[in-house]
Amino acid sequence: MNELIPRRGTVRLLALLLMAVLLLAAGCGGSSTSSKAPGGTAAPAEKPVVVALGADTRTLLPMKIVDMTTYQQIRNIYDTLLTRDPKTYALAPELATSWRALDDKTWEFKLRQGVKFHNGEPFTSESVKVTIEKILDKSWQSHYYTRFEMIDKIETPDDYTVILHTKQPSPILLLRMQGLLPMPPKLLKEKGIDELAKHPIGVGPYKFVSWTKDEKLELEANPDYWAGKPLIEKLVFRPIPEFSSRLSALLAGEVDVIQNIPVSAVEQVNSSGKARVESVPSSRVNYIALTNFKPGPLSDRRIRQALNYGVDVDGIIKYVMKGHAYRMAGALSNINPEVNKDLKPYPFDVAKAKALFQEAGVDPTKLTLTMDSPQGRYPMDKEVAQAIAAELKKNLGIEVKITYNEWGTHLDKIVKRQTGNMFLLGWGPALDAEGTIGDLAVKDRTYSGFAADPELQKMIDNARPIVDPVKRKAAWDAIQKKVYDEAMWIFLWQQEDLYGVSNRINFTPRADEEIEMWRATYRK
């Protein structure tokens, strides 16, 4: 150091230091701000912010695969038509500035003007039309097809108006628009969907730089973002499947945000001086799906009910989750505004469970079940699977063989109906009844683990088009009671999301699990 500073005394040294401070201040000048890009300290350009997740993105294409880990990453590249208010989670404008129902089967959306894709292509009503048409093209095999199949016709009377006609009244349409990520129509027409898969082009706060599969996704701030350039210039998503490895990377200063902190590590993180835990009650529900697609013990409702009575869920929450979860009575959590609050959780009652097995003519001590579980995707998922298997063995004598899957493999097995008798899954954001039960209690839906009986299927079909809010709530309350009685899951909990956040940034987690890095700032 002394070789780089001429020995001209303290005055010269102070002058150099003052100049460095002034240059640093100039380099950290303010960025344009909006409701999406908050003011704060700008990012040092040489060091990116790194977000470590339990799995890599499964694709760079929007609207192709339903997977929250994928969505969390590409959502920073693409904007949605509608969003949710970060405090109330009510629907709020994003690319659509306003919307209204013209009648029970017709919705009009007015679009934001002056927005451009990262390649300079203007965002217009054609972008929305082309994206929906792509989803509805069965040959593309989008997981989102069933979420948009109610759309019958799309009109674009001008560049900034979209009119959607549905086959029947579909009140859930607005929620589907909340997840719509428009694609650039000119690029799709000229270069095709394969080009977009290699180099995503959105209108969002970050632009694509590179993707090395299973290693990192690199993004950079979009200087022309309609809501103001994000303050964090460089952003990297890294897949780190193991909890312990994510934690070590955080405490070593290698990453800045990690999801699903192990509950046993909360005190360690908060006392490290390098990071802290930020928590939020998640909208995600965790459950053990009791598959009944094929003949077997779980095709009997009494057996499925017995498994609920035979597991001490409250004990698992207390001892495995360390209290960082909220018990559910049925398929919806208490954060869901459409939850049936009359339902009470299945009590832990081994005698009742054994009586149901006897009534069904099945000896549980001679029963062997198989269960699939991810490891590293949800808080304590491996330990939860082990605890449930141990409970069923101890309380009922059931042998449970667990297969632990890499995340992508786990999803593929569910989609292809190749799991064992049971599988552990979390579903979120779970903020409405139809978007949860309607997707998970119907045989042909992507991630369903349950073949609904004709009565339940009819109840769901009849409830979907109900527009009147009082009648709709009553219909979905009855469906929740039916699902509860059918015991399509071992009903577990609404999880609490624990994020580890380095002390060099400000980051606020959301109940709907969106990781909005354009709202993050450097700490002063």
Side-chain angles (χ1 to χ4, degrees):
M1 183 70 173
N2 289 339
E3 294 175 0
L4 300 177
I5 301 178
R7 297 178 179 273
R8 296 181 182 273
T10 305
V11 172
R12 175 63 182 263
L13 177 59
L14 290 174
L16 287 170
L17 290 172
L18 178 59
M19 182 178 295
V21 170
L22 291 173
L23 287 172
L24 179 61
C28 294
S31 172
S32 60
T33 61
S34 74
S35 60
K36 283 199 71 172
T41 304
E46 71 280 2
K47 187 174 182 181
V49 165
V50 181
V51 179
L53 300 176
D56 197 6
T57 179
R58 302 190 68 207
T59 178
L60 294 178
L61 284 171
M63 314 312 299
K64 175 65 173 176
I65 293 177
V66 175
D67 168 39
M68 194 61 189
T69 304
T70 296
Y71 182 83
Q72 286 170 324
Q73 297 176 65
I74 63 175
R75 174 67 176 89
N76 284 269
I77 301 173
Y78 292 88
D79 273 355
T80 59
L81 205 64
L82 307 182
T83 187
R84 289 187 184 273
D85 183 275
K87 294 181 179 179
T88 66
Y89 298 101
L91 290 177
E94 189 153 289
L95 292 177
T97 56
S98 64
W99 54 92
R100 61 176 179 148
L102 301 183
D103 56 51
D104 283 352
K105 296 194 294 183
T106 310
W107 287 88
E108 179 189 76
F109 299 84
K110 292 294 185 179
L111 305 183
R112 191 176 300 278
Q113 300 186 28
V115 177
K116 292 184 178 181
F117 284 94
H118 299 155
N119 62 354
E121 184 177 335
F123 166 72
T124 66
S125 54
E126 186 66 14
S127 312
V128 177
K129 183 175 185 289
V130 164
T131 301
I132 295 175
E133 288 175 341
K134 190 66 180 174
I135 295 168
L136 295 179
D137 177 359
K138 287 188 176 181
S139 67
W140 195 47
Q141 297 182 320
S142 169
H143 286 185
Y144 288 86
Y145 173 82
T146 55
R147 300 187 178 198
F148 290 87
E149 64 180 339
M150 82 285 279
I151 296 175
D152 184 47
K153 181 182 176 183
I154 308 168
E155 291 185 87
T156 54
D158 59 55
D159 281 350
Y160 300 105
T161 303
V162 176
I163 299 175
L164 300 179
H165 301 267
T166 59
K167 299 170 186 174
Q168 63 180 10
S170 299
I172 200 171
L173 178 67
L174 286 182
L175 296 179
R176 299 313 193 200
M177 293 300 109
Q178 186 264 325
L180 186 74
L181 305 176
M183 295 182 272
K186 186 171 183 288
L187 183 144
L188 286 178
K189 183 178 181 180
E190 294 177 354
K191 298 185 177 181
I193 196 71
D194 290 342
E195 176 64 23
L196 202 63
K198 293 183 292 185
H199 191 111
I201 299 291
V203 301
Y206 285 93
K207 300 172 68 173
F208 174 77
V209 176
S210 68
W211 180 39
T212 305
K213 186 171 173 56
D214 296 325
E215 184 179 329
K216 62 181 177 179
L217 172 64
E218 295 183 287
L219 308 176
E220 63 183 6
N222 176 9
D224 301 316
Y225 185 46
W226 63 267
K229 181 182 177 182
L231 294 177
I232 290 177
E233 292 273 355
K234 296 181 180 180
L235 177 62
V236 173
F237 286 95
R238 279 182 56 192
I240 305 180
E242 289 293 328
F243 283 137
S244 58
S245 299
R246 288 204 296 274
L247 180 61
S248 296
L250 176 70
L251 297 182
E254 297 172 4
V255 304
D256 297 285
V257 178
I258 67 174
Q259 196 176 19
N260 298 335
I261 284 278
V263 295
S264 57
V266 171
E267 184 176 349
Q268 178 186 2
V269 173
N270 283 334
S271 62
S272 68
K274 298 181 179 180
R276 64 199 184 278
V277 172
E278 299 280 0
S279 66
V280 63
S282 175
S283 62
R284 179 170 297 274
V285 297
N286 295 151
Y287 60 92
I288 301 293
L290 304 177
T291 63
N292 66 340
F293 293 127
K294 296 180 289 186
L298 298 189
S299 61
D300 191 318
R301 176 176 63 181
R302 294 167 295 187
I303 301 300
R304 299 194 300 268
Q305 291 175 341
L307 297 182
N308 274 278
Y309 286 116
V311 175
D312 183 5
V313 177
D314 288 322
I316 296 174
I317 289 175
K318 181 177 180 181
Y319 294 107
V320 178
M321 302 300 294
K322 307 297 183 185
H324 292 286
Y326 310 91
R327 182 80 188 272
M328 296 192 317
L332 305 184
S333 71
N334 284 328
I335 198 173
N336 195 315
E338 294 181 307
V339 65
N340 182 344
K341 294 185 178 181
D342 292 334
L343 298 179
K344 305 300 178 187
Y346 275 82
F348 177 46
D349 189 336
V350 175
K352 177 69 172 175
K354 290 180 176 179
L356 284 166
F357 268 105
Q358 185 175 11
E359 183 182 325
V362 176
D363 182 352
T365 64
K366 296 180 180 179
L367 185 61
T368 297
L369 298 175
T370 53
M371 175 163 60
D372 282 85
S373 172
Q375 50 182 343
R377 172 61 182 92
Y378 307 118
M380 311 302 288
D381 47 11
K382 182 178 180 180
E383 292 79 4
V384 167
Q386 291 171 340
I388 288 171
E391 283 280 303
L392 293 175
K393 178 65 174 177
K394 179 182 69 173
N395 300 326
L396 300 173
I398 300 172
E399 191 73 33
V400 179
K401 296 181 179 179
I402 306 173
T403 298
Y404 297 105
N405 303 314
E406 177 272 330
W407 178 237
T409 301
H410 191 67
L411 291 184
D412 286 341
K413 289 175 76 173
I414 295 171
V415 171
K416 296 175 182 177
R417 311 302 192 239
Q418 295 175 348
T419 65
N421 305 109
M422 306 182 285
F423 62 80
L424 172 63
L425 193 67
W427 186 256
L431 290 165
D432 68 281
E434 183 178 343
T436 302
I437 300 173
D439 280 339
L440 300 176
V442 177
K443 183 178 181 179
D444 63 354
R445 296 296 169 122
T446 305
Y447 292 112
S448 175
F450 191 73
D453 66 15
E455 182 183 353
L456 177 57
Q457 180 67 66
K458 184 177 180 180
M459 293 172 70
I460 292 172
D461 290 342
N462 290 341
R464 292 185 192 275
I466 298 175
V467 175
D468 180 270
V470 175
K471 292 180 180 178
R472 185 174 177 83
K473 178 68 166 62
W476 284 103
D477 276 356
I479 290 169
Q480 290 173 67
K481 178 64 166 60
K482 176 69 172 174
V483 165
Y484 175 91
D485 292 339
E486 289 293 327
M488 74 173 188
W489 302 338
I490 296 177
F491 302 104
L492 298 179
W493 49 72
Q494 167 197 345
Q495 73 182 43
E496 181 178 21
D497 281 345
L498 303 174
Y499 291 77
V501 183
S502 73
N503 286 338
R504 75 183 185 118
I505 68 168
N506 296 307
F507 169 79
T508 303
R510 292 172 55 111
D512 60 5
E513 298 185 23
E514 290 204 16
I515 297 180
E516 300 179 331
M517 295 311 298
W518 62 89
R519 296 186 189 273
T521 62
Y522 272 78
R523 302 181 99 180
K524 296 180 180 180

